Every structure is written in structure tokens, then in C-alpha cells.
Amino acid sequence: GAGVSQSPSNKVTEKGKDVELRCDPISGHTALYWYRQSLGQGLEFLIYFQGNSAPDKSGLPSDRFSAERTGGSVSTLTIQRTQQEDSAVYLCASSFPGRSGQSYNEQFFGPGTRLTVL
Amino acid sequence: AQKVTQAQTEISVVEKEDVTLDCVYETRDTTYYLFWYKQPPSGELVFLIRRNSFDEQNEISGRYSWNFQKSTSSFNFTITASQVVDSAVYFCALSEAYNPGGKLIFGQGTELSVKP
């Protein structure tokens, strides 16, 4: 596909369960980002990948959150022992790095995964 | 500390009115980038514009225009002759050069409602 895709589009889980959210970036985009959008907190950055490494994990809210990226493409965000406050829309974005290797170009967002923790 | 403030939570206008969405930012970095994104009811964030801190020239794209003023740390967005299809939540965002990867720091968003 031409855009960023995410799966599942909706996920309902019970408190305490683990969930995995998947992101497939635009082909050729080496930069990948995860954000979270919730009513109380707005849009928050979680983690940034350049290739398979994550130079910026500063937004991960707790050690229950982790992410990985393999093959410089697909990324998985894992939330362990989910809590009700984890309920949010999780957005993935990708970007093509600028000439300096840093990525300040526009980020293209996927449709998001709506996570509901009961 | 980096911060983006969109003081207008909701704006309601009638079609064909002009409307300006305000954005004020804070950063200690001298090199930074400012963005506007649109989030229609479908939910997907759509990129509108990127501006770097060294380029204060205003930009116009069709009915959209942006006014960047470093002196007041503002990057305002104006829609001329608004249309119902402009109804969406609009986010202003900041990216600082010292942050590897340029993570976006978003404002709280302004919900624009354009009524026929």
C-alpha cells in the first residue's frame, strides 16, 4: 500500500493482559515513530526508530511499554499488563530522513489502533 | 522547555467566513521546525505544512495561509472562505533540531466546525 498501515484497527482487552500493536511504514521510510492520542493527554510521542535502532525512547510512559523494529520496516509496540489508563489511540508515523540523516521532514501517519482496556 | 500552545479549543464559523487558528510555541533551540496537521473526523492525521526556523516568509496555498513570526513565537494558520470540508481538529507541532529524529511536540489541537 501507499500509506502507513496499522493493525488491528481496534483492540479491546482486559486489564492485565498483554497487547501487540503493529505498524507497517511507507516503503523506503527509515524513520518510524509511535505516538499516543488520548482525551486527557492529547498527542504524545512515545518512541522513534531510525532503521532498527531506537535513539529516542524518552516518551515511553513505563517499563510495561516496549517496541521493536525488524528489517528496518515493520514495528511492533507491546504493552504488558495493560491498565485502564493505557486506553488510547496509538498512532504510527514514518518519515524519510533529511540530507543530514536527521529526520525533520513531514511525518506520515497511519490510521491508528484504538485500544480499549476494560 | 519545549511547548506548543493552541489556546482555542473550539471554533465555530459559518461557511465562507475567514478563520485564524493560533499557535504559540516555546523552545530553547535556535533551529527548529513547525508543522500543522489536520485530523478530520475519519481520524487520520494529514500533513499541511512544515516551516523551519530560518524561514519567516509567509506561505499561501490555495485558501490556506500561514503567518510565522519569531518575535512573538507564533505560527498562525488562516483559512479563507471556509468550507464545511474544513471541519476537523487542527494540530500545531514543533520539532527541535537537537532531538534525534525530530519527534513532534503537539499542541492540544483546535476543533474547527464550519456550518453551512
Side-chain angles (χ1 to χ4, degrees):
Chain A
V4 177
S5 60
Q6 293 186 245
S7 61
S9 54
N10 277 287
K11 176 73 176 177
V12 180
T13 191
E14 293 178 351
K15 179 181 170 181
K17 302 273 191 185
D18 298 351
V19 295
E20 281 190 357
L21 312 180
R22 176 188 166 109
C23 171
D24 212 329
I26 293 172
S27 178
H29 281 193
T30 58
L32 186 147
Y33 308 79
W34 284 97
Y35 294 86
R36 178 168 73 170
Q37 186 173 22
S38 57
L39 277 177
Q41 302 299 321
L43 267 159
E44 307 171 279
F45 165 80
L46 297 177
I47 187 169
Y48 154 65
F49 285 93
Q50 180 58 252
N52 291 337
S53 64
D56 191 350
K57 308 179 184 178
S58 62
L60 294 177
S62 76
D63 57 10
R64 295 186 296 104
F65 287 72
S66 63
E68 65 174 13
R69 189 178 185 194
T70 54
S73 181
V74 171
S75 176
T76 303
L77 177 69
T78 301
I79 309 173
Q80 295 178 310
R81 304 180 304 281
T82 51
Q83 303 294 312
Q84 287 182 332
E85 61 262 28
D86 299 334
S87 296
V89 177
Y90 289 81
L91 295 166
C92 177
S94 70
S95 176
F96 194 78
R99 285 174 293 178
S100 64
Q102 300 294 337
S103 189
Y104 308 109
N105 293 329
E106 56 268 33
Q107 296 177 23
F108 295 87
F109 283 80
T113 293
R114 181 174 296 278
L115 175 66
T116 304
V117 183
L118 302 177
Chain B
Q2 64 269 38
K3 187 179 178 182
V4 176
T5 302
Q6 295 179 253
Q8 304 148 309
T9 307
E10 297 177 16
I11 300 177
S12 183
V13 299
V14 176
E15 209 169 18
K16 296 184 184 174
E17 281 185 32
D18 298 348
V19 59
T20 295
L21 309 182
D22 297 333
C23 173
V24 173
Y25 62 92
E26 293 176 33
T27 178
R28 288 175 293 186
D29 213 348
T30 55
T31 303
Y32 53 89
Y33 300 80
L34 296 164
F35 300 79
W36 276 95
Y37 280 85
K38 174 182 180 180
Q39 189 174 42
S42 59
E44 201 154 330
L45 279 162
V46 177
F47 167 80
L48 296 178
I49 189 170
R50 180 187 75 145
R51 176 66 72 196
N52 75 56
S53 53
F54 299 109
D55 183 2
E56 284 193 74
Q57 204 168 22
N58 290 332
E59 182 152 340
I60 298 175
S61 176
R63 297 184 296 107
Y64 294 171
S65 62
W66 290 269
N67 180 260
F68 176 27
Q69 292 196 344
K70 286 177 79 169
S71 61
T72 55
S73 297
S74 65
F75 187 43
N76 296 338
F77 172 31
T78 298
I79 302 175
T80 303
S82 60
Q83 300 177 1
V84 173
V85 292
D86 296 327
S87 296
V89 181
Y90 291 86
F91 291 94
C92 181
L94 165 71
S95 173
E96 295 171 313
Y98 82 88
N99 274 322
K103 67 182 181 184
L104 293 173
I105 299 151
F106 286 92
Q108 289 298 99
T110 297
E111 184 171 4
L112 174 65
S113 176
V114 182
K115 301 190 186 310

